[in-house]
Amino acid sequence: PLRRAAPWAPGGREGAPSPDYVGGFDSRLAHLLALDVETNSLAWWRPDFRVFLAQWSDGRGDRGWCSEDTGWDALHAVLGRHEQLVGANFAFDTHSLRAAGIVDLMQSGHKLHDVQTLARVAIPGRFDYKLESLGTDLLGADSTIQQHALKGAAKAHGISWTKEDKDFYALWKAEP
């Protein structure tokens, strides 16, 4: 069974920070780009399907986003600086980017890693592999602070934020 991990500390679970951990970023992870995209639907086959936002961060502190409003040049540029990409439910994001005509990561030469797939290998027999519950169990309750902030913002704007229907697009337009 999975045990709750000790609080995370830079460079390991206990002790002094690793010399690789500088300024809040772990240089050992600099080659990885964490990438996430938001879509207006899970139904990629529908004619109105679109990717409206891409956001990223890496071990050097390079963070950013671009959208259908700004164009995708910034995404193409950051992809050109990284060889390995990591995401959650990355098969959907990869397919979404291809279906929307933004970039085909399957043909790009990048190495792709999905944290939810990796968790199934590292923690076999677990019932729930959702990103939020993995974060809470492995990193602590603080890992979901932003998720709770999104829920509060949606409520403040009267935007649907149920388990079945999260209107990311309307929330992003209300609070970009």
Side-chain angles (χ1 to χ4, degrees), residues 122-140:
I123 315 167
R126 183 181 167 91
F127 177 72
D128 183 359
Y129 290 95
K130 293 178 187 166
L131 189 58
E132 291 85 5
S133 56
L134 284 170
T136 298
D137 290 350
L138 299 175
L139 302 174

Side-chain angles (χ1 to χ4, degrees), residues 52 157-161 166-176:
F52 66 85
H157 291 286
I159 296 169
S160 175
W161 204 260
K166 290 183 178 161
D167 194 345
F168 285 101
Y169 184 71
L171 183 58
W172 179 70
K173 284 296 190 181
E175 290 196 21

Side-chain angles (χ1 to χ4, degrees), residues 31-145:
H31 65 286
L32 287 174
L33 181 73
L35 177 64
D36 184 36
V37 301
E38 302 300 341
T39 65
N40 67 324
S41 168
L42 297 176
W44 54 266
W45 57 89
R46 292 179 41 178
D48 64 337
F49 176 82
R50 69 185 193 282
V51 173
F52 66 85
L53 176 69
Q55 51 203 336
W56 58 84
S57 180
D58 73 10
R60 290 186 298 258
D62 182 5
R63 299 179 200 179
W65 62 271
C66 60
S67 70
E68 62 187 0
D69 296 335
T70 65
W72 304 107
D73 291 345
L75 175 62
H76 293 136
V78 76
L79 288 172
R81 295 191 300 269
H82 294 83
E83 295 177 8
Q84 296 191 49
L85 309 178
V86 62
N89 193 20
F90 215 35
F92 179 78
D93 288 1
T94 299
H95 185 73
S96 297
L97 289 166
R98 181 177 50 214
I102 297 166
V103 64
D104 187 345
L105 295 176
M106 298 301 292
Q107 300 297 318
S108 68
H110 290 95
K111 292 182 181 178
L112 308 177
H113 308 281
D114 187 309
V115 296
Q116 290 173 300
T117 301
L118 294 171
R120 284 176 168 81
V121 174
I123 315 167
R126 183 181 167 91
F127 177 72
D128 183 359
Y129 290 95
K130 293 178 187 166
L131 189 58
E132 291 85 5
S133 56
L134 284 170
T136 298
D137 290 350
L138 299 175
L139 302 174
D142 287 351
S143 68
T144 59
I145 288 172

